[in-house]
Amino acid sequence: MTDTNPPITFDADVSDDAAVAMQVDILDIQAGVVGVTRLREWGHAALAVQPGEKVLDVGSGTGSEVRAMAELTGPTGEAVGVEPNPKLRAVADQRTTTTREWTRYVAGNAYELPFEDGTFDAVRCERVLQHLDQPQRAIDEMARVLKPGGRLTLLDSDWATAIVHPGDPEVARLCMEAMLTATPNPHSGRRLSGQVVLAGLTVADMGSEALIWPADIVTGMLLPMFVSTAQQAGFITTEQAARFATELQAAAHSGELHMSVTMFCALGRKPD
Ligand SMILES: C[S@@+](CC[C@H](N)C(=O)[O-])C[C@H]1O[C@@H](n2cnc3c(N)ncnc32)[C@H](O)[C@@H]1O
C-alpha cells in the first residue's frame, strides 16, 4: 500500500487516461464535500453573476462551476471555461446539457488567457493557483480580461494549515513537509488577498471554510497517496509509512480520525 501510489498531479500536461480518470474522481469527490460546497456557494454569492453577463472560470476542470455560472447568466449571457487539458475539456463538454448553447470550454493557459482586455464581467479561479509556479502572473492576466468594475474570486487552500490526527506527530509533520515540497505554491490561500491588490484590484471581501475529508475518502484514497509521497521522496522510512498508515486506519475505525485543510476565497473588484 505504501509504495505503489503515485502522487496526484494537476499539471496542465497530464494525458495518461488513468491519471485523468483519477483527477476526475478527485474533483467529483471534492465537489461533494461540505466545506467545498459551502465556500463555492459563498464565492458565487460574492461574485453575484447577473443574467446577460459574460463570465470566465480559469482552470475549469470538469466544468461544474462553469455550468453553475451559466445557470445565472442565462442564454443572454455567456459562460466560458479555460482549461489546458483536452481530456478534462472533453469531460466538461460531455456533462454540459441544459446550458449548452451559451457555455463553451476553450483551450488555454492561465498565464496567457486567449481573450481581449476587458472581456468579462466576472472571473473565478478555484484550486488552480496552488499548482502554478507564477501565480501572480496568472492573477494579473485575470485582472486584464476583466471589464472595468468587474469582479474576481480566487479560491485556494493553504497547505500549512493541514491537520492529520492522530498518529505519530513527527511522521505527520514529515508527511506534511513532503506535501509542501511537492506543491509549487503550497501557501496559496494566505497569499490571495495580497495578490489581488498587486493585480490592481481592491479586495472587497474574504471567505473561508475548512475542507474536512470524510474518513472513507481518507483511508481509501488520500492516506495511501499522502504516505507514499512522503516515503518515495525520502521524508519517512518504509517502516514509518506502514506504521502511520496502520495508526490512521485504526483511527478511522474508532472515529478519531481528522484530516483537513483550510481554504480561502478572495473577492476582488477592478476599478471603474
Ligand atoms: C485541482 S484542479 C481544479 C479544477 C476546478 N477549478 C475545480 O475546482 O474543480 C486544477 C485545474 O487547473 C488546471 N491547470 C493546471 N495548470 C494550469 C494552467 N497553467 N492554466 C490553467 N489551468 C491549469 C488543471 O488542468 C485542472 O483542471
Side-chain angles (χ1 to χ4, degrees), residues 21 73 80 90 114 132 134 157 190 246 253 256 258:
T73 69
V80 182
L132 303 184
Q134 300 175 70
S157 309
R190 76 187 62 181
T246 304
H253 283 296
E256 292 168 281
H258 176 99

Side-chain angles (χ1 to χ4, degrees), residues 240-251:
Q240 284 175 312
R243 204 176 324 118
F244 192 62
T246 304
E247 286 168 352
L248 292 191
Q249 295 278 2

Side-chain angles (χ1 to χ4, degrees), residues 55-60 80-84 106-120 122-125 128-129 132 135-146 152 154:
V55 299
L56 174 69
D57 189 22
V58 178
S60 50
V80 182
V82 162
E83 170 55 54
V106 304
N109 193 302
Y111 294 139
E112 285 173 56
L113 293 172
F115 309 105
E116 300 289 324
D117 295 1
T119 302
F120 295 98
V123 176
R124 77 183 297 281
C125 180
V128 176
L129 297 168
L132 303 184
Q136 186 66 53
R137 185 175 155 202
I139 298 165
D140 290 347
E141 266 297 270
M142 295 176 214
R144 179 186 68 75
V145 301
L146 267 181
L152 170 70
L154 303 175

Side-chain angles (χ1 to χ4, degrees), residues 10 12 27 40 59-61 83-85 88 109-110 126-128 131-132:
F10 279 97
L27 294 179
R40 280 182 170 174
S60 50
E83 170 55 54
N85 188 324
L88 288 178
N109 193 302
E126 175 179 344
R127 282 177 292 134
V128 176
H131 302 290
L132 303 184

